Amino acid sequence: MQRAIVHLDLDSFFVSCERLTNRQLTGIPLIIGGGDRGVVSSCSYEARAFGVRSAMPIRMAMRLCPQAKIIKGDMELYSKMSAEVTEIIAEKAPVMEKASIDEFYLDLTGMDRFYSVNQWTSELVTAIQKETHLPLSYALSVNKTVSKMGTNEAKPAGVLVIPAQDVQPFLNPLSIRKIPMLGQATYDSLARLGIRTIETLSTMPSEILFQLLGKNGLDLWRKANGIDFTPVEPYRERKSISVEHTFSQDTIDLILLRTTLLGMVERLAFQLRTEGWLTSVVSIKIRYTNFDTETKQCKINYTAADHVLNAYVLDLFDKHYQRRMRLRLIGINFSGLVRGNYQINLFEDSQEIMALYEAMDYIKKQYGLQAVHRCSSALLKSKKK
């Protein structure tokens, strides 16, 4: 049976949310971000007309579009609006995957014929717009990759239907930059070989791409040929993530305790970013040598950044570890989770900090969690030897 996969994306989601709360922002160049050395988290199509793009340094964006209005951003608002859309889709769709705070995949395979699926999706979009007043685009095709690329071409407020026989004609003229998850380094490697369009990439022998890029080369070859068997994963909202550490010997060593906490934060924050979550509640647990257990928490702005979470965790620990009795266990829990990525939270951080996190995460994904550490984690590792 031919698959019917819909990719649905809320257009300029942060901008749209801000305009719902302040109609005066409608029609003007708008940038969501913050700080002179920060980056653009989102921008309106009016700003994009001047060359402004997400992840661009704020200073560069303001040089391109000096008349733009900058807003720091409100994750509470964005999370609330995202939850409303999620609820509407989950109530109607047989299988839904929430890919991020503002995009969704639906598997409508078997729901009558292909174009009836399009009619059903159109009615769903109408219901979302009626209840939330948020603009959105969608594409319907035979797999997740083609549908996502279709949505990107349909924006803003557009619809694209790409049946099986039209997949390759749709893909061929596009730049390889349009392929999801193709980074700048990979693009540069392919461009040096004269591979700049999907048509050229699709006709390359897969063996050569494997030699050049390894497994990533084969994955790109499949995407360029419209091949993607990745299933739509049913949406399940994660409530929290946590980790605990039991010491081999009960301890009162404050340096060991703090470095252990920092190492746990690094591990959990990496998990947040990898799975696409932001946390708004930080909790610590301390268990004394007599098995008395205390749990304390605080609410914070949404984040997935080690350096932000470190400060809250250590502050909670310093305030509540007052008995100076030996500890046998410490734990950390991050809850109040919402879908989102690290970039959208960095309204105050610089592009240098973003680049650092991206590099560290890349190394950990490629070579394992132990491949790179903060100094605090390295200290903890050395103390265990």
Side-chain angles (χ1 to χ4, degrees):
M1 182 182 297
Q2 180 176 295
R3 299 172 74 200
I5 308 298
V6 172
H7 178 262
L8 191 152
D9 200 337
L10 297 163
D11 295 333
S12 298
F13 178 52
F14 295 172
V15 170
S16 299
C17 291
E18 295 291 346
R19 285 175 169 173
L20 286 177
T21 62
N22 183 357
R23 295 296 182 183
Q24 294 183 349
L25 300 176
T26 301
I28 67 171
L30 188 62
I31 294 173
I32 309 296
D36 288 341
R37 301 186 64 202
V39 297
V40 177
S41 292
S42 182
C43 58
S44 67
Y45 285 98
E46 292 84 359
R48 294 182 194 187
F50 290 87
V52 179
R53 295 291 182 269
S54 296
M56 176 182 288
I58 290 288
R59 288 180 177 176
M60 180 183 296
M62 291 308 297
R63 285 198 295 269
L64 292 171
C65 187
Q67 69 271 40
K69 182 177 180 60
I70 299 179
I71 295 178
K72 180 179 178 180
D74 183 352
M75 274 304 302
E76 292 278 1
L77 171 64
Y78 309 151
S79 299
K80 174 179 176 292
M81 297 301 297
S82 176
E84 290 182 14
V85 175
T86 303
E87 185 176 350
I88 296 169
I89 298 175
E91 185 178 287
K92 299 177 182 296
V95 182
M96 177 197 76
E97 175 183 335
K98 189 172 184 179
S100 71
I101 196 170
D102 60 355
E103 61 176 327
F104 307 81
Y105 289 102
L106 313 180
D107 189 342
L108 307 180
T109 303
M111 188 184 286
D112 207 341
R113 287 174 293 183
F114 199 73
Y115 283 97
S116 295
V117 172
N118 183 39
Q119 179 62 35
W120 184 92
T121 307
S122 177
E123 292 172 1
L124 171 65
V125 168
T126 299
I128 294 171
Q129 292 174 327
K130 182 178 180 180
E131 294 191 39
T132 68
H133 305 288
L134 291 169
L136 63 159
S137 301
Y138 76 87
L140 166 64
S141 193
V142 294
N143 60 53
K144 293 170 76 173
T145 294
V146 179
S147 294
K148 181 176 176 64
M149 295 173 70
T151 304
N152 290 336
E153 295 304 302
K155 291 181 178 181
V159 176
L160 198 54
V161 178
I162 311 167
Q165 66 270 20
D166 292 340
V167 166
Q168 210 58 51
F170 163 71
L171 293 175
N172 281 343
L174 299 178
S175 167
I176 60 173
R177 290 182 184 272
K178 301 283 189 175
I179 299 176
M181 307 304 293
L182 191 149
Q184 184 63 44
T186 302
Y187 173 80
D188 292 340
S189 297
L190 294 172
R192 282 193 291 269
L193 297 176
I195 304 172
R196 294 183 173 84
T197 67
I198 291 179
E199 182 174 18
T200 305
L201 181 61
S202 68
T203 57
M204 290 284 294
S206 58
E207 298 84 359
I208 293 179
L209 290 172
F210 179 76
Q211 292 176 4
L212 180 66
L213 301 171
K215 291 182 180 180
N216 186 42
L218 292 179
D219 183 51
L220 289 176
W221 181 87
R222 284 190 288 266
K223 289 179 178 178
N225 283 278
I227 302 170
D228 179 12
F229 301 110
T230 307
V232 174
E233 300 288 348
Y235 174 67
R236 294 182 181 88
E237 188 69 83
R238 181 192 277 275
K239 300 299 182 182
S240 66
I241 63 171
S242 62
V243 64
E244 294 182 350
H245 179 83
T246 302
F247 296 100
S248 56
Q249 292 183 333
D250 298 351
T251 182
I252 198 172
D253 184 338
L254 289 177
I255 294 178
L256 176 61
L257 292 168
R258 290 193 178 103
T259 53
T260 301
L261 287 169
L262 293 176
M264 294 160 71
V265 169
E266 184 175 352
R267 173 181 166 185
L268 288 181
F270 174 69
Q271 183 179 347
L272 286 174
R273 296 192 296 271
T274 300
E275 296 183 9
W277 297 103
L278 301 172
T279 181
S280 63
V281 180
V282 173
S283 306
I284 64 164
K285 178 166 73 174
I286 52 179
R287 179 169 294 157
Y288 293 93
T289 190
N290 64 354
F291 285 90
D292 285 352
T293 303
E294 296 180 3
T295 303
K296 303 294 181 181
Q297 71 177 40
C298 66
K299 187 165 178 57
I300 66 173
N301 292 328
Y302 286 99
T303 188
D306 304 16
H307 68 287
V308 176
L309 293 165
N310 282 339
Y312 286 107
V313 166
L314 291 181
D315 183 61
L316 278 175
F317 177 75
D318 291 340
K319 285 180 178 178
H320 298 291
Y321 178 43
Q322 299 293 335
R323 294 167 65 177
R324 292 302 179 255
M325 183 186 296
R326 291 180 183 274
L327 295 183
R328 62 181 295 107
L329 176 148
I330 54 177
I332 299 174
N333 180 284
F334 295 152
S335 58
L337 304 182
V338 298
R339 280 291 182 186
N341 57 52
Y342 177 61
Q343 178 187 311
I344 66 175
N345 182 58
L346 289 185
F347 297 125
E348 296 295 345
D349 289 339
S350 68
Q351 56 267 33
E352 291 87 358
I353 293 177
M354 282 190 60
L356 174 63
Y357 275 104
E358 289 174 356
M360 290 178 65
D361 288 351
Y362 175 80
I363 293 171
K364 288 179 179 180
K365 290 174 184 177
Q366 290 290 109
Y367 305 105
L369 291 173
Q370 305 305 317
V372 60
H373 296 281
R374 289 177 173 269
C375 292
S376 57
S377 297
L379 174 61
L380 174 61
K381 186 176 180 181
S382 66
K383 289 176 76 70
K384 288 182 177 179
K385 290 182 178 179

